[in-house]
């Protein structure tokens, strides 16, 4: 849910389209925002958030590892953030205003909350329903499930295809089926809020399937971003001056330079990220020489080497 430990920065300012609150709620929020640092430091913890900053946000591995660890840590302390309709409504409106492409996952109250955020009713999407009937397989615990019977099990399934639909717009732009072998749709609300299932395998497959729908809308020439990863045995402090100079030199070409220490391991990594693949390739030899490193396909290569070295020593 958007209200869970979020991997997206939560803005302190409130969007003009934010949810209207009661006088008591508004007063409470205002008092919290005006609290002193000492008051914030002493008050009871009811909510939590994760603000991730840096170009590595879209890199995947470090963010996934750290945010997952933080979530488990919070859970172990009893910091559990419940689904809250008003929070979802406020957040999804703000994100729709501030970002071109927004992704969230379906949960117990996602459809109804996002529907309310934009004044949309939940409607049975007939095509999704028919695909569900045709493709889905009854759970082993429901061997006698029958689509013709009005049962709690059927009503629960129907809720999964009760989608927030704007009947004034083209429905095909609001419900996308990226894969023929899946009945599960990607629901697109307000043009840029993409609701995917929470099951990781389904989420990942459907997100990958959205590629052809997203690519034509990407800004700039040459779709896609390329990354070069170079492993170096040198400490970050030894390569910092060179990388700072390099970053300033290549920034006009749209290249970002990153340095990522791998604490407790023999090698760190340097990354070059940009849209011009040929230009990135032209930098590899220079960077390898200056950081005394070598190009690798991914950090998984270093992880595998580390495991092998550890095994050899044992």
């Amino acid at each position: 849910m958007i209200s869970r430990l979020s991997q997206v920065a939560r803005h302190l300012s409130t969007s003009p389209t934010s949810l209207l609150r009661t006088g008591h709620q508004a007063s409470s929020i205002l008092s919290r925002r005006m609290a002193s640092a000492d008051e914030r430091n002493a008050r009871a913890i009811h909510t939590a958030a994760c603000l991730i900053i840096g170009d590595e946000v879209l890199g995947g591995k470090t963010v996934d590892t750290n945010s997952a660890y933080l979530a488990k840590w919070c859970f172990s302390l009893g910091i559990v953030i419940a689904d809250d309709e008003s929070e979802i409504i406020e957040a999804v409106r703000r994100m729709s205003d501030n970002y071109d492409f927004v992704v969230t996952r379906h949960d117990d109250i996602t459809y109804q909350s996002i529907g309310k955020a934009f004044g949309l009713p939940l409607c049975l999407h007939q095509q999704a329903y028919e695909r569900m009937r045709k493709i889905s397989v009854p759970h082993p615990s429901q061997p006698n499930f029958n689509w013709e019977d009005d049962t709690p099990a059927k009503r629960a399934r129907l809720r999964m295809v009760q989608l927030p639909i704007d009947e004034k717009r083209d429905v095909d732009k609001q419900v996308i089926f990226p894969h023929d072998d899946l009945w599960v749709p990607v629901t697109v609300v307000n043009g840029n809020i993409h609701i995917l299932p929470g099951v990781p395998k389904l989420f990942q497959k459907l997100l990958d399937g959205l590629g052809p729908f997203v690519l034509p809308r990407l800004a700039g020439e040459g779709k896609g971003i390329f990354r070069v990863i170079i492993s170096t045995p040198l400490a970050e402090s030894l390569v910092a001056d060179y990388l700072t100079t390099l970053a300033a030199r290549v920034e006009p070409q749209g290249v970002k330079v990153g340095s990522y220490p791998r604490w407790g391991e023999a090698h760190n990594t340097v990354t070059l990220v940009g849209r011009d693949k040929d230009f990135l390739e032209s930098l590899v030899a220079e960077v390898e020489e200056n950081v005394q490193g070598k190009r690798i396909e991914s950090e998984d290569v270093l992880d595998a080497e580390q495991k092998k070295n550890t095994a050899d020593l044992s």
Side-chain angles (χ1 to χ4, degrees):
M1 298 299 296
I2 295 173
S3 61
R4 296 186 191 280
L5 290 172
S6 175
Q7 292 189 2
V8 179
R10 181 168 183 174
H11 296 274
L12 294 177
S13 60
T14 304
S15 166
T17 57
S18 292
L19 175 68
L20 295 176
R21 302 176 185 268
T22 64
H24 175 73
Q25 288 175 313
S27 176
S28 175
I29 292 171
L30 183 61
S31 65
R32 291 177 67 83
R33 288 182 177 173
M34 295 180 66
S36 69
D38 284 336
E39 289 171 331
R40 295 171 190 271
N41 188 230
R43 66 191 179 201
I45 297 174
H46 295 288
T47 59
C50 179
L51 172 61
I52 297 173
I53 300 171
D55 298 327
E56 68 271 22
V57 167
L58 295 181
K61 183 176 179 181
T62 300
V63 173
D64 289 346
T65 301
N66 291 342
S67 58
Y69 188 88
L70 173 62
K72 292 176 181 178
W73 181 84
C74 285
F75 185 84
S76 72
L77 296 179
I79 306 173
V80 182
I81 303 175
D83 296 334
D84 184 283
E85 185 178 83
S86 65
E87 291 282 342
I88 296 171
I89 291 174
E90 186 277 328
V92 77
R93 285 175 170 174
R94 171 167 40 83
M95 289 186 172
S96 185
D97 283 344
N98 293 337
Y99 302 97
D100 300 317
F101 181 75
V102 181
V103 174
T104 187
R105 68 179 182 87
H106 178 257
D107 206 340
D108 297 338
I109 60 173
T110 304
Y111 284 151
Q112 70 183 54
S113 299
I114 295 180
K116 284 186 179 180
F118 300 102
L120 303 177
L122 296 185
C123 305
L124 176 67
H125 190 271
Q126 194 63 37
Q127 185 181 0
Y129 174 57
E130 295 300 331
R131 288 171 66 98
M132 176 193 281
R133 289 191 58 159
K134 180 180 179 180
I135 298 175
S136 66
V137 178
H139 192 273
S141 64
Q142 299 173 320
N144 299 319
F145 178 82
N146 189 328
W147 286 103
E148 306 306 322
D149 297 337
D150 183 17
T151 61
K154 179 182 177 180
R155 290 194 292 272
R157 286 172 171 252
L158 286 176
R159 283 196 293 273
M160 292 189 285
V161 287
Q162 295 275 354
L163 311 178
I165 299 294
D166 185 344
E167 296 177 337
K168 299 187 296 293
R169 296 181 59 238
D170 183 352
V171 175
D172 289 340
K173 292 182 179 180
Q174 302 177 67
V175 183
I176 300 173
F177 297 96
H179 294 283
D180 291 336
D181 60 336
L182 296 177
W183 67 263
V184 188
V186 174
T187 305
V188 186
V189 179
N190 206 40
N192 61 353
I193 304 293
H194 299 73
I195 308 173
L196 280 72
V199 179
K201 286 185 178 180
L202 287 177
F203 182 96
Q204 293 164 18
K205 185 171 182 178
L206 288 173
L207 189 60
D208 289 341
L210 279 180
F213 299 90
V214 173
L215 281 174
R217 296 178 51 206
L218 293 181
E221 297 181 4
K223 304 300 190 288
I225 296 178
F226 303 96
R227 174 169 52 187
V228 171
I229 304 176
I230 296 173
S231 169
T232 173
L234 301 181
E236 186 176 38
S237 57
L238 291 178
V239 298
D241 286 346
Y242 165 69
L243 294 181
T244 299
T245 302
L246 175 66
R249 193 177 89 225
V250 299
E251 183 179 13
Q253 282 74 39
V255 175
K256 292 187 177 296
V257 179
S259 174
Y260 305 102
R262 292 166 54 85
W263 186 78
E265 298 185 16
H267 289 76
N268 297 322
T269 56
V270 172
T271 63
L272 308 173
V273 178
R275 294 185 181 276
D276 188 334
K277 186 176 182 180
D278 291 337
F279 182 68
L280 287 178
E281 294 292 342
S282 73
L283 298 172
V284 173
E286 174 198 334
V287 177
E288 286 181 328
E289 180 180 354
N290 280 275
V291 303
Q292 299 176 25
K294 65 176 182 178
R295 182 176 185 172
I296 57 175
E297 291 301 315
S298 72
E299 287 195 9
D300 292 337
V301 173
L302 294 180
D303 292 338
E305 289 180 357
Q306 180 70 20
K307 288 181 181 179
K308 181 179 183 301
N309 292 337
T310 301
D312 291 342
L313 292 174
S314 62

